[in-house]
Amino acid sequence: MNILILGSGGREHALAWAVKQNPKTDRLIVAPGNAGIAMLAECADIDILDGGTVVTFCEENAIDFVIIGPEAPLAAGVADACRLAGLLTFGPSAASARLEASKAFTKEVCDACAAPTAAWARFSDPAPAKDYIRRVGAPIVVKADGLAAGKGVIVAMTETEALAAIDDILGGAFGAAGAEVVIEEFMDGEEASLFILTDGIHALTVGTAQDHKRVGDGDTGPNTGGMGAYSPAPVLTPAIEAQAMAEIVLPTIAEMARRGTPYSGVLYAGLMIKDGRARLVEYNARFGDPETQVLMMRLGAQALDLMLATAEGRLDKAQVNWADDHALTVVMAANGYPGPYAKGSQIRGLAELPEDSRHMVFHAGTAAREGAILASGGRVLNVTARGATLGEARDAAYAMVEQIDWQDGFCRRDIGWRAL
Ligand code: AMP
Ligand code: GLY
């Protein structure tokens, strides 16, 4: 079959890598893609936020299956446009992607189905928001309601910080995404992510992962999109996973169906685990980045069959064939990230690295020029390896990092430390 994947990051490179290995795949196109993706698929530079453009492209290229990677096209209704045109589509409708696009919506859904999560309140005026903060006290978490590219969450350790966050968000620092704020109880514990495929009725877990959000070793410094990840997440024991499915995920799926907006796609549940129980931190309506890189490394070609079963509504008959293994990815980022960084520096040594079912460098932000690979983003490479143990996967990934010659990049040296 002919398959189109939308997106341009390491997540989409990993999805393309897994899909490509499945014998069902004839032609594989990624839009817009990147220099790494171009080594295994065709790339097409189209506007992926425009449903009409995507549908026309699919018709012209006889696409049989569309996989939507990032949240922006989901929130823009690209999955709706594709389904309306009769295309088999992996990714939720805009109405169900609100589980990521609106934090207040997610909280309403949690309340409606009694899913355990942090206590919360929503405000569009600063004065009552600040009164609430003064009443509850710090630590407290202040969030822009809408999509803010991972920057709209302020975990405030002091009341002063929380009050300033209200002024920032409601003052327009995040544009329309900050028209409302959600204020939440601070939850402590250990975070882990659970990835669930659902066709709106049935659900199947496809793995657990933990990422490292802080830029510096020892989980210090500013927040980033994620500096590395590993799967499975040992903190998400089978018992906690079962509790999270029973109390959080399945009730959410049922509530979305009850509202007439069944959720079809991957549901990424960010969980806070404490004293053997999970509470929901947030949902995302897509695969995680860089978590997908480790999930795909473990799932391989069956990922396509599972996404097809999701889109076709037959997940009740699907199952995951698990290998008892571990995967770990190290993000290499441009010096300066997550602050300002330069683009265009050359990366050498990639061609000499192994590329097989246990080793893969996924490209997150690269461009090719005259045969050279250049950095074109903040997070640039995801150096990923699989092993019988997490330690083995880590050693293999860092051995690959050592062979990459990139003066203008850096990585954390301690990915996986919490689990190791
Ligand atoms: P979110 O975008 O909602 O996942 O928030 C980003 C990060 O902020 C999460 O991964 C957590 O580390 C942290 N966070 C969000 N909500 C809370 C909360 N209620 N309590 C503690 N930490 C939180
Ligand atoms: N790694 C976090 C995310 O994809 O949102």
Side-chain angles (χ1 to χ4, degrees), residues 112-191:
C113 65
T117 184
W120 70 291
R122 69 198 293 179
F123 300 93
S124 47
D125 288 322
K130 290 180 178 178
D131 286 346
Y132 181 86
I133 288 169
R134 290 193 188 98
R135 192 148 32 88
V136 177
I140 194 162
V141 182
V142 180
K143 303 182 175 185
D145 176 62
L147 291 179
K151 299 193 178 81
V153 175
I154 295 94
V155 179
M157 287 301 154
T158 65
E159 211 172 284
T160 314
E161 256 180 287
L163 297 173
I166 296 293
D167 287 329
D168 276 355
I169 295 172
L170 293 179
F174 300 101
E180 260 200 316
V181 288
V182 169
I183 304 180
E184 287 185 15
E185 165 200 358
F186 172 81
M187 295 188 283
D188 69 5
E190 192 169 348
E191 279 188 85

Side-chain angles (χ1 to χ4, degrees), residues 71 98-104 106-107 110 116-118 143-153 184 187 191-196 211 213 225 248-249 252 267-272 279-289 291:
E71 62 275 19
R98 288 188 74 205
L99 281 180
E100 172 162 6
S102 167
K103 308 221 183 256
T106 298
K107 289 299 208 177
C110 285
T117 184
K143 303 182 175 185
D145 176 62
L147 291 179
K151 299 193 178 81
V153 175
E184 287 185 15
M187 295 188 283
E191 279 188 85
S193 306
L194 178 60
F195 294 86
I196 306 104
D211 75 345
K213 290 213 167 65
I248 303 173
V249 175
T252 298
L267 191 58
Y268 161 165
L271 303 172
M272 189 69 80
R279 289 205 283 168
L280 184 74
V281 178
E282 62 156 358
Y283 281 126
N284 292 307
R286 49 167 177 85
F287 279 114
D289 190 346
E291 292 89 335

Side-chain angles (χ1 to χ4, degrees), residues 5-264:
I5 299 176
L6 302 184
S8 63
R11 165 181 49 213
E12 287 75 25
H13 192 182
L15 289 169
W17 175 81
V19 164
K20 174 85 176 182
Q21 292 171 46
N22 192 303
K24 289 194 183 75
T25 304
D26 295 313
R27 191 171 170 208
L28 177 60
I29 309 179
V30 183
N34 65 35
I37 294 172
M39 293 177 205
L40 59 84
E42 296 170 54
C43 292
D45 195 9
I46 60 169
D47 179 4
I48 64 165
L49 295 182
D50 185 73
T53 302
V54 173
V55 167
T56 304
F57 182 85
C58 288
E59 286 167 356
E60 286 170 358
N61 290 280
I63 296 297
D64 302 296
F65 186 38
V66 184
I67 298 168
I68 303 178
E71 62 275 19
L74 295 169
V78 172
D80 304 75
C82 290
R83 286 202 183 88
L84 201 62
L87 289 159
L88 190 61
T89 305
F90 181 82
S93 65
S96 38
R98 288 188 74 205
L99 281 180
E100 172 162 6
S102 167
K103 308 221 183 256
F105 176 79
T106 298
K107 289 299 208 177
E108 281 173 4
V109 169
C110 285
D111 285 355
C113 65
T117 184
W120 70 291
R122 69 198 293 179
F123 300 93
S124 47
D125 288 322
K130 290 180 178 178
D131 286 346
Y132 181 86
I133 288 169
R134 290 193 188 98
R135 192 148 32 88
V136 177
I140 194 162
V141 182
V142 180
K143 303 182 175 185
D145 176 62
L147 291 179
K151 299 193 178 81
V153 175
I154 295 94
V155 179
M157 287 301 154
T158 65
E159 211 172 284
T160 314
E161 256 180 287
L163 297 173
I166 296 293
D167 287 329
D168 276 355
I169 295 172
L170 293 179
F174 300 101
E180 260 200 316
V181 288
V182 169
I183 304 180
E184 287 185 15
E185 165 200 358
F186 172 81
M187 295 188 283
D188 69 5
E190 192 169 348
E191 279 188 85
S193 306
L194 178 60
F195 294 86
I196 306 104
L197 295 180
T198 172
D199 53 21
I201 301 166
H202 318 103
L204 185 68
T205 60
V206 288
T208 62
Q210 275 180 293
D211 75 345
H212 293 263
K213 290 213 167 65
R214 303 298 187 118
V215 75
D217 284 4
D219 293 329
T220 55
N223 260 318
T224 70
M227 293 302 293
Y230 51 94
S231 173
V235 61
L236 249 174
T237 60
I240 298 176
E241 181 179 318
Q243 173 252 327
M245 287 301 287
E247 294 181 9
I248 303 173
V249 175
L250 296 176
T252 298
I253 291 169
E255 174 63 17
M256 293 301 286
R258 193 194 63 77
R259 290 172 178 237
T261 51
Y263 188 102
S264 172

Side-chain angles (χ1 to χ4, degrees), residues 318-329:
Q319 62 173 46
V320 182
N321 296 311
W322 285 115
D324 183 20
D325 62 358
H326 299 255
L328 182 143
T329 189

